[in-house]
Amino acid sequence: MMKIVVVDYGMGNLRSVAKAIEKVAPAGASVRISSEAGEITAADRVVVPGQGAMHDCMREFLSRDLREAVHQAARSKPFLGICVGMQMLFDHSEEGDTAGLGFIPGRVRRFADGMLGPDGVRLKVPHMGWNEVRPVSDHPVWQGIGEGERFYFVHSYYCEPADPVATAASTEYGLRFTSAAAQANIFSVQFHPEKSAAAGLRLLSNFLNWQP
């Protein structure tokens, strides 16, 4: 029986993420929201969501002594980061001058004020709402998801991998930014698949079937 753990560190849309995963999980699979290191270690797949400020998320995460269990999961099993859960995987964020977990080399930067869209209209920060995601690789998590499919975003900061090869998809918002990153058994997305209707559910289903 597949065991899926959504990591609870006090931040993030945990129940919505868990409910979305339950909709697409294989029959008999267990979907748990947990802050227990032992459950994370025993899981077959691990999901780290997140929302809010990066420094708050990292503080709460580290206060629960989850780093080693999550680090082991990120090295050894299919691992999904969502929104701030993606940003936490990088080395450093400009938000609060915050150190991340360093699983993916790179940094997290803030969208500049005064960015303009293709129509010349000033873009708001945070980037909020539906936007196109364009895969730049044939990663299995994109299976059955069309080029330019729309997903739901809410964020003021974006990830910038040190190695462009880590970019699994990009999105345009004043600039082209990395909206999904992949490395070995880690896949991470800046958008919210749990809020992204059929495309989001397909991505979660693909993650559960992925064999890195």
Side-chain angles (χ1 to χ4, degrees):
M1 180 180 70
M2 181 183 291
K3 297 179 181 178
I4 306 151
V5 167
V6 178
V7 177
D8 178 8
Y9 57 97
M11 308 288 288
N13 200 14
L14 302 174
R15 294 198 178 278
S16 293
V17 172
K19 289 293 184 185
I21 293 171
E22 286 173 357
K23 286 183 180 179
V24 298
S30 166
V31 181
R32 296 269 298 164
I33 297 172
S34 179
S35 59
E36 297 295 327
E39 285 198 274
I40 297 168
T41 301
D44 298 303
R45 290 163 198 269
V46 172
V47 180
V48 177
Q51 63 185 25
M54 172 80 164
H55 54 276
D56 291 336
C57 288
M58 283 301 304
R59 183 188 66 240
E60 293 300 318
F61 181 88
L62 295 174
S63 73
R64 287 164 169 76
D65 294 326
L66 296 174
R67 184 179 190 126
E68 183 54 35
V70 169
H71 194 187
Q72 288 182 20
R75 290 195 304 249
S76 62
K77 60 192 68 177
F79 185 101
L80 177 64
I82 298 174
C83 196
V84 179
M86 172 183 180
Q87 296 176 10
M88 289 167 61
L89 302 179
F90 284 74
D91 293 318
H92 183 268
S93 175
E94 291 181 352
E95 186 175 18
D97 190 22
T98 305
L101 296 171
F103 298 167
I104 301 176
R107 58 181 178 167
V108 181
R109 303 184 64 185
R110 190 182 191 279
F111 284 119
D113 293 323
M115 295 188 305
L116 300 178
D119 55 2
V121 175
R122 184 169 179 169
L123 297 173
K124 295 180 180 179
V125 178
H127 170 214
M128 182 180 298
W130 296 84
N131 204 344
E132 292 183 353
V133 172
R134 298 194 174 276
V136 297
S137 71
D138 58 355
H139 197 285
V141 175
W142 294 128
Q143 184 178 357
I145 297 174
E147 172 76 15
E149 186 64 74
R150 296 171 70 83
F151 291 83
Y152 190 80
F153 291 83
V154 184
H155 63 122
S156 299
Y157 294 78
Y158 63 93
C159 297
E160 188 177 77
D163 185 349
V165 172
T167 296
S170 64
T171 295
E172 298 281 345
Y173 194 72
L175 74 165
R176 182 176 297 173
F177 70 90
T178 295
S179 51
Q183 177 178 282
N185 54 292
I186 297 173
F187 196 86
S188 59
V189 295
Q190 183 61 66
F191 51 83
H192 288 270
E194 77 279 7
K195 297 180 179 180
S196 297
L201 291 177
R202 180 58 189 260
L203 184 142
L204 292 173
S205 177
N206 288 345
F207 169 71
L208 296 183
N209 287 291
W210 176 35
Q211 300 293 336

